[in-house]
Amino acid sequence: MTFKRIVSGLVIAGVVGGGAFLWLTQPQRLPADVWTAVNAPDLANGERMYHAGGCASCHAAPGAPDDQKNVLAGGLALKSDFGTFHAPNISPDETAGIGQWTLAEFGDAMKQGTGRDGEHLYPSFPYASYAHMTVQDIADLYGYLKTLPASANVAPGHDLPFPFNVRLVLGGWKWLYLDDGPRVELASADDSVKRGQYLVEGPGHCGECHTPRDILGGLKTDQWLAGGPNPEGEGRVPDITPREGGFGSWSAGDIASYLETGFTPDFDSVGGSMVAVQKNMAALSKEDRDAIAAYLKAIPAR
Amino acid sequence: MKFRTLAAAAMIAAFGAGVVVAADEPQVVRQEMMKKVGGAMGALAGIAKGEKPFDADVVKASLTTMDEVAKAFPDQFPPGSETGAETEAGPKIWEDAAGFKAESDKFAASIEAVLASPPADQAAVGPALGSLGASCKSCHEVYRVKK
């Protein structure tokens, strides 16, 4: 009797608690006036954000040659511990792509991980980093994406086992990990370091690969940019904090030169998934690459 | 006394032999080859950046070194050398042997194209470096895995 009562008590608590949790973690949208307050898009800056953000690395068709990388047709398979994701079509096509999305809908995807139908998006889309971007940079990027070629390709759905195929569970993940505050506190950072912080922590999403993750797939922010096993499979992603006897031996000039040319100080060449990132970095301005280098010299060694 | 000296000599010889055997391992051979390529690229980059004076002999020698490596490199991946000696060779080298050979051939072809009309002054070294560097990246992107 008492046992039954305890169990039903627990069930009720569970339902009420779970309901409260789901309410607490429901997909969020930013107030509409955030997006109406922006200036007309600066397309050159939008293109810069497009390179810094590496959208083509995931959203171009798999194996697309360099001259087709701007067709964001989707379809690339992204393997993870939680199953296989397929990057969607984000070209300006009206039905297969995001041609009909408003700036507010696009912005909520980038900053809140909320999809057009108000669903949670998977963090394999690195919005936990893009959330750090300014509203104006997102508006400029939105304007630039509209200038790219449309593709009618319909990308396959994700291939995820239960419970990861239930988008509702992502609310808890976001509640734990979606945070647009700085990843590291840098006392007395000059303008260049601050710009570097913005580019690395925001659009560049460097931490998504270079920071180790916990078992729920959240970034271990106390190990910011400390490197770890490659979540996509083979090998390791290197530590890029200024650790003595390691990456600390690279000068700011060495780092900026690597981002521009792809060569390390001892003339090893960039490889793996960093090749696409480096090609994007080469498309940024020298000031931006120098800023990233200055930030990587300023963060704590791990 | 005598015996101890002999024993020491024997041990040194054995140790030396051990080192020689290790240096023959394909993993080590191919890493040394790539280090040479890195060194050659460094020499060219020094000229391109104006840190070193232009020297046609240095340019020629660097390109020749790379050419030799590019031709012999794909033979340094026999079965059994997938792991060990801190190799950073990626599994795709064995999964897609034809693709890897094609990548090596492309590298050799790009070097020979430069060798056919080597850069004649400092200004010409930079563009040559760019065309060679593209092969390093495209092979390392797929067939080399940082550990």
Side-chain angles (χ1 to χ4, degrees), chain A residues 80-100:
Chain A
S80 79
D81 290 348
F82 308 102
T84 300
F85 297 93
H86 290 101
N89 180 334
I90 61 160
S91 77
D93 190 89
E94 301 254 310
T95 43
I98 61 168
Q100 295 202 13

Side-chain angles (χ1 to χ4, degrees), chain A residues 234-236 261-263 266-272 275-276 278, chain B residues 38 41-42 45 49 91 133 136-137 140-142 144-147:
Chain A
E234 294 284 322
R236 287 182 71 78
T261 67
F263 286 104
D266 46 0
F267 285 90
D268 195 341
S269 150
V270 59
V275 172
Q278 183 270 318
Chain B
M41 283 298 270
K49 285 192 221 153
C136 321
K137 282 183 210 174
H140 284 198
E141 182 168 17
V142 181
R144 192 260 179 109
V145 175
K146 269 264 164 87
K147 298 259 168 77

Side-chain angles (χ1 to χ4, degrees), chain A residues 140-197:
Chain A
D140 292 348
L141 173 60
Y142 172 79
Y144 177 72
L145 291 177
K146 289 219 172 281
T147 69
L148 297 179
S151 158
N153 175 55
V154 177
H158 305 319
D159 188 2
L160 307 170
F162 183 80
F164 305 118
N165 55 356
V166 182
R167 286 187 184 262
L168 269 182
V169 304
L170 293 167
W173 189 92
K174 286 187 184 173
W175 186 70
L176 287 169
Y177 300 113
L178 186 58
D179 169 7
D180 60 6
R183 303 292 196 173
V184 286
E185 294 293 347
L186 296 172
S188 72
D190 66 17
D191 284 351
S192 179
V193 170
K194 283 190 195 134
R195 173 71 178 163
Q197 176 161 33

Side-chain angles (χ1 to χ4, degrees), chain A:
Chain A
M1 237 16 196
T2 18
F3 175 71
K4 234 175 157 179
R5 218 189 272 158
I6 292 173
V7 171
S8 49
L10 281 177
V11 168
I12 290 169
V15 169
V16 173
F21 188 70
L22 286 180
W23 181 79
L24 198 77
T25 65
Q26 64 187 326
Q28 305 286 318
R29 293 197 177 282
L30 289 174
D33 57 359
V34 166
W35 304 105
T36 48
V38 298
N39 300 326
D42 171 347
L43 295 183
N45 184 52
E47 181 174 13
R48 194 173 308 133
M49 288 300 129
Y50 171 71
H51 289 302
C55 316
S57 304
C58 291
H59 288 283
D66 278 356
D67 61 351
Q68 294 292 312
K69 284 261 193 267
N70 282 346
V71 187
L72 303 178
L76 181 70
L78 298 158
K79 294 205 179 72
S80 79
D81 290 348
F82 308 102
T84 300
F85 297 93
H86 290 101
N89 180 334
I90 61 160
S91 77
D93 190 89
E94 301 254 310
T95 43
I98 61 168
Q100 295 202 13
W101 290 40
T102 63
L103 171 59
E105 286 165 343
F106 177 75
D108 283 337
M110 295 287 287
K111 280 188 88 75
Q112 304 281 318
T114 299
R116 192 171 188 225
D117 300 325
E119 77 281 22
H120 286 303
L121 294 174
Y122 286 100
S124 51
F125 165 33
Y127 57 76
S129 295
Y130 298 149
H132 295 235
M133 291 174 70
T134 65
V135 165
Q136 186 64 51
D137 278 347
I138 288 175
D140 292 348
L141 173 60
Y142 172 79
Y144 177 72
L145 291 177
K146 289 219 172 281
T147 69
L148 297 179
S151 158
N153 175 55
V154 177
H158 305 319
D159 188 2
L160 307 170
F162 183 80
F164 305 118
N165 55 356
V166 182
R167 286 187 184 262
L168 269 182
V169 304
L170 293 167
W173 189 92
K174 286 187 184 173
W175 186 70
L176 287 169
Y177 300 113
L178 186 58
D179 169 7
D180 60 6
R183 303 292 196 173
V184 286
E185 294 293 347
L186 296 172
S188 72
D190 66 17
D191 284 351
S192 179
V193 170
K194 283 190 195 134
R195 173 71 178 163
Q197 176 161 33
Y198 176 70
L199 289 169
V200 168
E201 299 184 2
H205 68 282
C206 316
E208 303 275 346
C209 294
H210 284 279
T211 301
R213 290 174 188 273
D214 60 26
I215 50 164
L216 293 177
L219 297 180
K220 292 186 188 163
T221 41
D222 58 337
Q223 290 292 306
W224 183 242
L225 300 181
N230 186 347
E232 290 164 11
E234 294 284 322
R236 287 182 71 78
V237 182
D239 179 351
I240 52 169
T241 70
R243 187 173 51 82
E244 233 178 279
F247 192 66
S249 69
W250 292 40
S251 70
D254 290 338
I255 300 172
S257 156
Y258 175 83
L259 297 175
E260 185 189 356
T261 67
F263 286 104
T264 70
D266 46 0
F267 285 90
D268 195 341
S269 150
V270 59
S273 52
M274 189 62 199
V275 172
V277 177
Q278 183 270 318
K279 286 184 182 162
N280 282 325
M281 293 294 115
L284 299 184
S285 67
K286 180 179 181 311
E287 288 70 35
D288 280 348
R289 285 188 297 268
D290 288 346
I292 292 174
Y295 166 78
L296 292 180
K297 294 302 284 181
I299 57 175
R302 303 292 184 194

